[in-house]
Amino acid sequence: MGTTAKGYRQLRTGGVVTASILAALAFSAPAQAAPLALTPWPASVEQGSGKLQVASGSVIAVPAGDADAAEAAQLLADHVKRASGLVLDAGSSAVSAAGSSGAAPIRFERDAAISGAEAYRLTVTSGGAVISASGKSGFIYGAMTLLQLLTADAGSAGKSASVPVLTIQDSPRFSWRGVMVDPSRHFQPMESVYAIVDRMVEVKLNTLHFHLSDDQGWRFEVKRYPELTRIGAWRLPPDTGGAIGPRSGGFYTQEQLKALVAYAAERGITVVPEIDLPGHAQALVASYPEVGVLGDRPAVSHDWGVNPWLFNPNDAGMTFVRNVLDELMEVFPSQFIHIGGDEAVKDQWERSPEVQSQMRKLGIKTENEMQSWMIDRFGEYLAQHGRRLIGWDEILEGGLPASASVMSWRGEQGAVDAANAGHDVVLTPAPNLYLDNLESTLPDEAPGRISIQTMEAVYRYDPMPKGIDAAKAKHVLGVQGNAWSEYIVTPWQLQHKLFPRVGALAETAWSPVVTGEKDYPGFLARLTPQIQRWKQGGFEVSDSAFGVAFTPTQTRAAQLDAKSIGVALANQASYGTIRYTLDGKAPAAKSPAYAKALVVKPGTVVTAASFAPDGTQLSAPRRYDTARETLLTSTASTLVACPRGAQGLRVPLTADATANGPAYNVNIFDTCQADDHAPLAHAKTITVSVARLPRNYGLAHEASALIEHFAVTTHGELVISAGCRAAEKAANRKQKEHAPMPGATVLATFALPDPDASPQQYTFTANLPDRPELGDEADVCFQFTSPLSDPFYAVEKVVYGEKAK
C-alpha cells in the first residue's frame, strides 16, 4: 500500500499518521505508491481514484485574451519539456479557449472567487486538469504544481505522463519567500541570475534580493555617475605574494536589469535591489571620494568583512544617494528598496568635524542615531515615490524610523523588536539561513563559512519567532535565504550553495504550519524528483545531504597494525540506501546494500553512494582508501583547530579562482591547525605540504583578536609540536604570550620563505625525534608565526613516513 493524500494531510495537521509510519511507507512501497512528489507541500490535498493521461502534443487551453493565463501555460510547457521531454502545445491555447477548451486535457480558468493573488486551485479528473486562479501568480504556481505531477515519473519521459485524480487548494503561508544573491564580492554573469530565477519559480519562491553594491564592487549602472561602474565595478585580487593578478569585476547595465526584472515578473518573482549604506561603501568612495567622509580615495576593496569607509550624510552626500535612488527606482518597480545599514562601524563619523557638527545641529547625540536619521530621510524619499524602505537589523540601533521595515540577520531579536513595534520584518537569520555556510563536513565541500547548516536544519527552521506577540504576527512578511559571495566565484558554486537547500526553504515559506514533528524523510522523498528536474536542466545541485561519510571503527594506530580494517558508512540525511563496492568500481542500484560496519583487508578501496527507494542515485560515489600510505596521510579536511581557536572558514587557494580547487579549513585569527591522531609510533619522518593564502579580511574592531607570534626568522616559521593540547592547558599567560606552543614537544621547525620569491604551495620534510613517551597517537599542532602584514598559511597535507631519511 502507499501513502494516501488524506494520510499525508493528517500528518501535516497533527493527525494519526506518524513520521515513522510515513518514512517506512516511503522506503517499502513501490515507486508509484510513494507520497505525491510535491515541493512545497500544498495547503490542502484531496486525492481521488484514477489517473489522467497526458500525451505528448496535448493542448493547453486558456481563456481568450487572458495574457496572464497564456504566459503561465507557456511557462508550464517550457518547464515540462526541459524536465521530461514531454511536449505540450501552449502556442494555440488562446484559439482552443474560444471554442473547444473542454477537449483540452489541461485548462486554465479565471476564477474571481479564489481569494489571494498567489492562491490557486488544481482539479484533476480522468478527463482533464484545470488550474483556476484569480491572478497571474496563482496561475503560475498552479502550473508549477502540475509540472511536478507531470514529471514525477522519469520512466515515461517524452511520451506521456499520468497524473493522479485529485483536488489541490493552495496558497502560501508567507508573502515574502526569498533568495538573496550577492554579485558584489564576486560578479555573476546575467545568465547565471536568469538560471536561478528559473529554478526559484519551480518551488514557488517569489523574491530575488539582489545585493548590488558593497566594498568590493558597485554593480548597478548609474548614468548620472559613470565612475561608479568605471572605477567601482573593478578591483585587484588580494596579495598572496609575488606578482599581482588581473583585476576582476563587472556591472549590469540598466537595460540588462530591466530585462531581468521583466523576465522574473513573468515568473511571479519580484527583484528587490539593495544599495548598501552608510557602510560597505568603499567602492562608492573609491569612485567619488567627495561623498566620502575624510577626503581620501581608497582602492575598491578586495578584503572580506567590515571596512571603515562610510558615505558622508551631508547635503551633497544625501543628494547623491537620492539621485542614485531615482535611477534605481526607474529600473526596479519593486515595492521595497533595500538600503542596507549593516556593519557600518562609525569611526569615520566619530573623527569627522563635519559630521559631528551636523549631529549637533540636528540635536543628534550618537552616531547610531545619525544613521537612523539618514535611514529615515531615505525612507521618506522612497515613500514620496510610492516605495518602502527595508534594511538590515542594525537600523534598529539608533531608533527605528517609522518608514522602515527590517530584515533580521543577526539572529531573530531584530525581527522580534521590530514586529512588536509594528514594523514589517523578513526573517533571514545567520547562521540558520545563510546558505553560503557549508552544508556538511564532507571533505569535498566547496569553500564557505564553517557553521554547518544542513538541509534538515533549513527545513526545520520556523520563521515565526516565539517572542513576537500574536497580534503582531501579521508583520512577519516571510523568510529569505542568503548566499553571500566571498567564496562564491562561479555560477557552479552559486548553484551548489543554493540547491537543494532552497527546496527546504520553499517548504518553510509556503506550506502550512505543521502540528507536531515535521516529517523530514517524507520531505526528502518529495524533493528527490525536484532535484532530478534541476539536474535535468544542467544545474549543479549539491549532494551533501546524501554523500557517504566514512568513519573508521579503530584508532589510526590500530588500523596500521591490524590485519583487517573496520569502517562505518552513513549519510547526513539518514535517507535512502547506501550501496558500496570493494573493487574500485562505482556502485549501482543493485550493488550490495550497507547494513553494518564493513571489515576489509588493508589496501581495499571502499566506494559508496546513496540511492533513493526507487533506485535513483542521490549522491556521487565517494571513496575510502585503506592503503597504508593513505592511513599515514592527513588532509586539510581532517585537521582541526589548535587549542587557542576555532576554524571558522573554508577558503580557496586564491580568492578569485574560477575553477574548483583545493580548499582549507582555517582560523584567520591564529593560523594554526592540529592533527589530533598523528601516528607518531609509526612515523620516522614528516612531510608537510603548505599553502600560502591571502590575508584579505576586514576585521574592524575585531582586529585586536588577532594573535601575533614573535617571529625569530625573517618571514616567520612553521613550528610543529606534539602534545600541544595538554601543554596549552598547563601554560600560564606569560608563557602563552612568549611561545607559539609553550611546553609542547617541538618535533620540527621550518623557516618560511620570502612570499614574493617563492611558489604559493611547497613542502617541508624532516626526520622526527624518537619520543616514545608520546604514545601510539598524539595531537600535533602546526603553528605559523608569519607577520600579520604577510599573507597567512595553511597545511594542505601531512604525510608521515615510516623510514628515516
Side-chain angles (χ1 to χ4, degrees), residues 754-780:
D754 182 351
D756 290 330
S758 59
Q760 198 177 347
Q761 295 168 282
Y762 43 86
T763 61
F764 298 114
T765 299
N767 288 325
L768 292 173
D770 186 16
R771 299 299 297 267
E773 73 275 12
L774 294 173
D776 290 345
E777 291 187 2
D779 58 283
V780 172

Side-chain angles (χ1 to χ4, degrees), residues 15 55 109 124 136 306 327 392 476 486 532 656 702 707 764:
E109 293 182 355
V124 180
K136 176 179 179 177
V306 179
E327 296 195 30
W392 302 108
V476 177
E486 289 92 339
Q532 299 310 311
D656 302 322
E702 292 185 357
I707 297 176
F764 298 114

Side-chain angles (χ1 to χ4, degrees), residues 574-606:
S574 299
Y575 176 77
T577 299
I578 296 174
R579 298 186 180 276
Y580 67 92
T581 63
L582 303 178
D583 58 3
K585 295 180 180 178
K590 294 185 178 180
S591 297
Y594 174 77
K596 62 180 181 179
L598 304 177
V599 178
V600 299
K601 293 180 179 180
T604 302
V605 176
V606 181

Side-chain angles (χ1 to χ4, degrees), residues 66 68-69 72 108-110 131-133 135-143:
D66 194 326
D68 292 340
F108 286 76
E109 293 182 355
R110 180 81 63 167
I131 297 169
S132 305
K136 176 179 179 177
S137 292
F139 282 138
I140 291 170
Y141 298 135

Side-chain angles (χ1 to χ4, degrees), residues 219-238:
R219 308 303 182 202
F220 172 64
E221 177 194 30
V222 182
K223 294 181 179 180
R224 184 163 183 164
Y225 302 118
E227 299 294 88
L228 285 171
T229 47
R230 190 185 74 82
I231 294 174
W234 307 92
R235 61 169 174 78
L236 292 173

Side-chain angles (χ1 to χ4, degrees), residues 421-465:
H423 295 267
D424 289 342
V425 299
V426 175
L427 273 296
T428 178
N432 313 69
L433 297 181
Y434 270 42
L435 301 183
D436 47 302
N437 280 311
L438 271 61
E439 191 176 348
S440 77
T441 58
L442 291 172
D444 53 4
E445 277 286 341
R449 292 179 173 89
I450 303 179
S451 178
I452 306 298
Q453 294 304 307
T454 66
M455 185 154 63
E456 183 174 7
V458 176
Y459 171 74
R460 295 193 184 281
Y461 176 72
D462 184 4
M464 186 60 72

Side-chain angles (χ1 to χ4, degrees), residues 491-789:
W492 185 98
Q493 292 165 340
L494 177 60
Q495 294 165 13
H496 185 88
K497 290 293 186 183
L498 290 177
F499 297 89
R501 284 183 290 181
V502 295
L505 176 73
E507 180 118 346
T508 294
W510 180 280
S511 301
V513 177
V514 173
T515 302
E517 183 72 11
K518 294 180 79 173
D519 174 35
Y520 185 54
F523 164 72
L524 294 176
R526 293 182 287 109
L527 183 66
T528 300
Q530 183 60 48
I531 290 174
Q532 299 310 311
R533 288 184 202 98
W534 286 328
K535 289 182 177 179
Q536 187 72 21
F539 219 64
E540 167 59 25
V541 181
S542 164
D543 68 352
S544 296
F546 311 110
V548 178
F550 304 91
T551 304
T553 61
Q554 302 145 294
T555 66
R556 195 174 187 182
Q559 285 181 298
L560 288 165
D561 292 332
K563 294 182 179 179
S564 60
I565 293 175
V567 57
L569 282 57
N571 68 29
Q572 182 192 82
S574 299
Y575 176 77
T577 299
I578 296 174
R579 298 186 180 276
Y580 67 92
T581 63
L582 303 178
D583 58 3
K585 295 180 180 178
K590 294 185 178 180
S591 297
Y594 174 77
K596 62 180 181 179
L598 304 177
V599 178
V600 299
K601 293 180 179 180
T604 302
V605 176
V606 181
T607 309
S610 298
F611 292 81
D614 66 356
T616 300
Q617 188 167 330
L618 296 172
S619 71
R622 288 172 170 82
R623 292 161 43 93
Y624 183 77
D625 189 350
T626 65
R628 193 167 189 84
E629 56 269 28
T630 304
L631 297 177
L632 287 164
T633 300
S634 300
T635 65
S637 294
T638 59
L639 300 177
V640 296
C642 286
R644 298 185 194 179
Q647 294 184 132
L649 294 173
R650 182 170 174 82
V651 301
L653 183 64
T654 58
D656 302 322
T658 57
N660 295 330
Y664 310 88
N665 298 346
V666 298
N667 169 16
I668 63 171
F669 293 95
D670 186 13
T671 53
C672 182
Q673 294 157 285
D675 187 351
D676 275 347
H677 303 284
L680 294 188
H682 294 80
K684 302 299 182 183
T685 66
I686 188 169
T687 299
V688 185
S689 300
V690 170
R692 188 172 59 247
L693 306 172
R695 196 187 292 271
N696 60 320
Y697 301 100
L699 300 177
H701 298 155
E702 292 185 357
S704 60
L706 287 167
I707 297 176
E708 184 165 17
H709 300 282
F710 177 62
V712 296
T713 60
T714 305
H715 298 285
E717 308 83 46
L718 166 58
V719 181
I720 305 174
S721 304
C724 47
R725 297 199 181 279
E728 177 76 8
K729 285 184 179 180
N732 59 41
R733 181 175 178 181
K734 186 174 182 180
Q735 289 173 315
K736 292 178 182 180
E737 290 175 353
H738 172 73
M741 287 293 160
T745 300
V746 177
L747 301 178
T749 300
F750 305 99
L752 297 171
D754 182 351
D756 290 330
S758 59
Q760 198 177 347
Q761 295 168 282
Y762 43 86
T763 61
F764 298 114
T765 299
N767 288 325
L768 292 173
D770 186 16
R771 299 299 297 267
E773 73 275 12
L774 294 173
D776 290 345
E777 291 187 2
D779 58 283
V780 172
C781 289
F782 302 86
Q783 175 75 68
F784 295 94
T785 65
S786 53
L788 298 181
S789 57

